[in-house]
Amino acid sequence: KGAWDRIKAEEKAEKAARRGKGADFVPQEQGVLAGVPTTLPGLTRAVKLQDKAGKVGFDWNDPRAVIAKMREELDEVEQALDHGGAAERTEEIGDLLFVTANLARHLDVDPERALRGANAKFQSRFAHIERRLAALGRSPAQATLEEMDALWNEARAEDKRA
């Protein structure tokens, strides 16, 4: 719990600094995290930052602890949805993505590759919806969410059979 409290205090300090300097503010790199390029894709950079911090003991030793952190971050997203503005929602989604990258790291999953796979799966399933609706002379814009959801589930079932 001590490490977690320290992480949250550092996050809050960095968030306060960003608020004063704009959303794209990146602090001058030094110390343990130095050398992780800011030009990397976000998920990849998150994993590299977390890996460096983990090498000096700033890490969870159980993926289930990361999952608990994800639940906490989801609660914070929900609070921002209920009471926050766009900046707070953006901040909380960023925190959720950062923790998601950390879970991927703990499970030896490349988050960029996993997301590319999820994107391809989404695209394929949505194409199924479009094809099935086109066969009925309709477009997705002319269908209800319920109709599209049923077709999505049909595509999902076909994926599981394949």
Side-chain angles (χ1 to χ4, degrees), residues 50-98:
Q50 294 160 358
D51 192 47
K52 280 191 166 211
K55 287 180 178 162
V56 296
F58 194 67
D59 201 358
W60 285 289
N61 59 5
D62 180 1
R64 293 185 190 285
V66 182
I67 291 170
K69 176 62 177 157
M70 287 179 79
R71 288 187 179 109
E72 180 182 321
E73 292 299 342
L74 276 170
D75 288 343
E76 291 178 13
V77 168
E78 195 167 20
Q79 289 171 5
L81 181 62
D82 292 340
H83 306 292
E88 187 177 345
R89 290 190 302 267
T90 298
E91 180 179 312
E92 295 305 338
I93 290 293
D95 291 349
L96 180 61
L97 290 169
F98 190 81

Side-chain angles (χ1 to χ4, degrees), residues 26-37:
V26 177
Q28 181 69 30
E29 290 199 41
Q30 55 189 341
V32 172
L33 304 181
V36 179

Side-chain angles (χ1 to χ4, degrees), residues 13-159:
E14 186 174 327
K15 287 175 186 177
R18 277 190 305 221
R19 281 190 196 103
K21 299 183 180 182
D24 295 331
F25 172 71
V26 177
Q28 181 69 30
E29 290 199 41
Q30 55 189 341
V32 172
L33 304 181
V36 179
T38 58
T39 56
L40 290 173
L43 292 171
T44 300
R45 185 162 195 268
V47 167
K48 290 191 180 297
L49 289 168
Q50 294 160 358
D51 192 47
K52 280 191 166 211
K55 287 180 178 162
V56 296
F58 194 67
D59 201 358
W60 285 289
N61 59 5
D62 180 1
R64 293 185 190 285
V66 182
I67 291 170
K69 176 62 177 157
M70 287 179 79
R71 288 187 179 109
E72 180 182 321
E73 292 299 342
L74 276 170
D75 288 343
E76 291 178 13
V77 168
E78 195 167 20
Q79 289 171 5
L81 181 62
D82 292 340
H83 306 292
E88 187 177 345
R89 290 190 302 267
T90 298
E91 180 179 312
E92 295 305 338
I93 290 293
D95 291 349
L96 180 61
L97 290 169
F98 190 81
V99 174
T100 301
N102 200 7
L103 180 60
R105 181 177 68 90
H106 277 271
L107 299 177
D108 293 321
V109 170
D110 176 349
E112 295 288 345
R113 183 177 180 193
L115 183 56
R116 282 191 299 275
N119 288 342
K121 182 170 53 177
F122 178 86
Q123 188 172 5
S124 172
R125 289 178 182 174
F126 196 81
H128 174 88
I129 292 170
E130 291 177 310
R131 282 190 307 275
R132 294 280 279 119
L133 287 170
L136 300 171
R138 299 171 59 210
S139 71
Q142 297 166 321
T144 67
L145 177 58
E146 291 77 19
E147 290 171 308
M148 289 189 285
D149 196 41
L151 292 171
W152 177 272
N153 289 333
E154 184 179 283
R156 190 171 163 205
E158 286 180 13
D159 286 349

